[in-house]
Amino acid sequence: MSDHIPMRVAVVGATGFQGGAVARLLAERNHRVRTLTRRPEGDRPPLPGVACASGDLGRAEDVRALFEGATHAAVTMPLVYDEKRVTTYARNIANAARDAGIRRLVYNANTRVPGRATDVAAFETRRLAEDLLRESGVPLVVVRPPVYLDNLFSPWNGPALVNEGVLSYPLPAHTPVAWLSHDDLAEAVYAALTTDGIEGRALDIGGARTLTGDELAESFARGLGRSVRYLPLDPGAFEQGLARVLGADAAAGVAGIYHYMATGDDPLLMAGDDGTAARLLPLSPGPVEDWVTRRPWQVWAEEAAPAG
């Protein structure tokens, strides 16, 4: 499949961080992109070159309208972890994609998914959505990311990192993670849309290196030019803080991943794979310190500075 032939891509989740990175990359490469959102127009992030229609994934007619005339689709589920709602969303997407004759659908599972069933909604609802999309018969590629570096460029990480040299995150210090950025995700989705011969695959994507917490801190230290130490954050405290931003239900869903990782039952879940994804997708995410260097960390220093 040539990436020089313009695609018409229905992007589910383009007003979020992950789907937004995908939509922007597609538009920058001169593909026609449209999305669906419940957000009012004044509350939508800037998405140059992306047609944005009002609608809801829970309404089949809205999803059909999004997919009408599309050749490809990129799907990132919203931060919803209720089984009934996710089932409705996934079925609406699957039916619309099948009826539209979508040539390839790339599904971003938001996370790695354990090989066995768990009681973690963040894993099981994503597994459920994948199964429903696969059952539709639409040519499917699944990408399963680990943890995003962009989570660390945030108001709850930035000030402590810049001013105190403390990098906090709700993962045990010894847990290996193939960290990647939203931009890396977008490149992976783009490659999954355009690379021949990978239909039906589920790929554990990730960064170039697998890092423990202490190794991540070392990469940040090189990027920031100062000493940095890693401090594991209690998943319960993380969930409480996230609830103030996302609401209790979404925070519980997201934090479920970190509660699971804290058990140590599946320590390699977020680590690099055996190289399969790198062989099948032409990707080469750069070192973490390069990503760190490119971020405007000074905004957090300014925010933390005393007034007057």
Side-chain angles (χ1 to χ4, degrees):
M1 185 181 300
S2 172
D3 61 358
H4 300 296
I5 300 173
M7 297 179 286
R8 300 189 298 278
V9 190
V11 178
V12 173
T15 55
F17 292 115
Q18 299 173 51
V22 173
R24 284 189 292 272
L25 181 65
L26 286 163
E28 287 168 4
R29 294 183 180 172
N30 300 313
H31 299 283
R32 293 173 58 186
V33 183
R34 64 186 183 209
T35 192
L36 187 70
T37 182
R38 293 186 301 172
R39 291 192 187 188
E41 189 169 351
D43 190 36
R44 299 171 187 171
L47 291 168
V50 177
C52 194
S54 296
D56 192 315
L57 290 176
R59 289 197 293 266
E61 60 272 23
D62 291 349
V63 183
R64 281 198 302 270
L66 170 65
F67 278 78
E68 185 176 357
T71 60
H72 297 73
V75 174
T76 300
M77 286 290 184
L79 298 180
V80 172
Y81 302 99
D82 174 75
E83 182 178 329
K84 184 176 180 180
R85 286 180 65 190
V86 172
T87 297
T88 298
Y89 293 170
R91 282 182 174 155
N92 286 345
I93 292 167
N95 291 339
R98 183 191 60 230
D99 294 346
I102 293 296
R103 299 174 194 170
R104 183 175 295 177
L105 187 152
V106 176
Y107 168 57
N108 166 24
N110 303 105
T111 179
R112 297 283 177 78
V113 179
R116 58 180 177 81
T118 70
D119 60 357
V120 179
F123 298 141
E124 299 313 313
T125 56
R126 275 39 189 175
R127 195 195 311 273
L128 170 64
E130 178 181 332
D131 289 344
L132 291 171
L133 292 171
R134 204 176 290 282
E135 288 170 7
S136 73
V138 174
L140 179 70
V141 179
V142 179
V143 294
R144 297 171 177 164
V147 187
Y148 292 110
L149 288 164
D150 304 76
N151 296 350
L152 303 172
F153 187 76
S154 63
W156 46 87
N157 284 99
L161 180 57
V162 172
N163 297 294
E164 302 169 35
V166 175
L167 176 58
S168 294
Y169 204 71
L171 285 169
H174 58 273
T175 298
V177 176
W179 293 85
L180 83 168
S181 69
H182 290 155
D183 289 340
D184 294 331
L185 167 73
E187 291 285 359
V189 170
Y190 190 85
L193 283 167
T194 58
T195 300
D196 290 328
I198 59 172
E199 291 91 347
R201 302 299 296 260
L203 303 172
D204 286 344
I205 59 172
R209 290 181 58 203
T210 296
L211 304 173
T212 63
D214 290 339
E215 291 168 339
L216 180 68
E218 292 171 4
S219 292
F220 268 75
R222 289 191 291 271
L224 292 172
R226 62 156 300 161
S227 62
V228 176
R229 65 185 177 91
Y230 184 77
L231 181 65
L233 182 63
D234 175 71
F238 170 76
E239 181 177 344
Q240 291 176 5
L242 199 61
R244 292 192 288 270
V245 180
L246 300 179
D249 290 344
V254 173
I257 296 171
Y258 300 101
H259 286 292
Y260 178 84
M261 294 303 297
T263 68
D265 290 343
D266 199 352
L268 299 180
L269 180 63
M270 302 296 174
D273 70 355
D274 60 0
T276 298
R279 287 195 301 271
L280 294 176
L281 302 177
L283 298 172
S284 55
V288 168
E289 49 263 41
D290 290 354
W291 178 88
V292 173
T293 301
R294 294 193 298 270
R295 306 274 82 74
W297 296 97
Q298 65 275 9
V299 301
W300 309 121
E302 294 166 1
E303 183 174 290

